[in-house]
Amino acid sequence: MRMIFFVVILATGLMYSYLAFTDLDFLTTTGRLGPGFFPRVIGTLMVVFTIWSMIAELRPSAAEGRSDVGGYAGQVALIMSLGVAYVLSLGLVGGIPATVIFLFVTLSVLNRDRLLQNGLVALLVPGAIYVLFDRLLNAAIPEGVLPLPF
């Protein structure tokens, strides 16, 4: 079942990379990074890491350690629900606050014993995203409908 998942992810990554390399420009006419830069990086990394995961899955030692494959179905459903709630909340509260809340709740589900670490990651990652996209790249981050103090 995992190998089928990897094949689907690999096919998606290859299609995404193909579109990024053929349809989007790497550089603008002024020589700055164009709209194809990040999609190319993401698509290439997606293909490389998926192939790496497929190779690791084919190793004999990888299959020995797994006995309870269906034991995480509840967590997977919860994380998927949180992802849907995150997408819906982007337009309501904005990109940065929604990301902070999503990361904190998701990390609290997956990493229950490390509350301080979860809080730091939930604050620092969106902060870095804000600085990178809003300040350095001058790219738009979704703003919410609700007026927030920051």
Side-chain angles (χ1 to χ4, degrees):
M1 187 64 160
R2 289 177 71 148
M3 200 52 103
I4 294 170
F5 174 75
F6 286 140
V7 169
V8 170
I9 296 297
L10 181 62
T12 304
L14 288 171
M15 286 189 328
Y16 181 83
S17 297
Y18 174 76
L19 290 174
F21 277 93
T22 58
D23 292 347
L24 300 173
D25 295 327
F26 184 72
L27 296 174
T28 63
T29 55
T30 60
R32 297 182 72 191
L33 293 178
F37 177 73
F38 282 117
R40 288 179 184 189
V41 171
I42 291 169
T44 303
L45 289 175
M46 187 176 181
V47 169
V48 167
F49 285 129
T50 303
I51 290 172
W52 183 12
S53 298
M54 289 173 82
I55 292 169
E57 181 69 20
L58 291 174
R59 290 189 191 140
S61 63
E64 294 171 4
R66 266 186 267 115
S67 60
D68 186 21
V69 176
Y72 297 108
Q75 272 189 335
V76 170
L78 179 61
I79 299 299
M80 289 176 67
S81 301
L82 289 171
V84 170
Y86 170 65
V87 170
L88 295 175
S89 67
L90 280 173
L92 187 62
V93 296
I96 300 301
T99 304
V100 169
I101 294 166
F102 172 74
L103 279 176
F104 184 73
V105 173
T106 303
L107 289 172
S108 295
V109 169
L110 298 174
N111 196 10
R112 294 176 194 248
D113 297 334
R114 298 192 176 177
L115 194 60
L116 179 63
Q117 179 183 2
N118 296 343
L120 286 173
V121 170
L123 289 173
L124 293 176
V125 169
I129 289 171
Y130 174 76
V131 168
L132 176 67
F133 285 98
D134 194 60
R135 297 296 173 207
L136 297 176
L137 298 174
N138 201 21
I141 295 177
E143 292 184 21
V145 176
L146 299 175
L148 297 175
F150 44 88

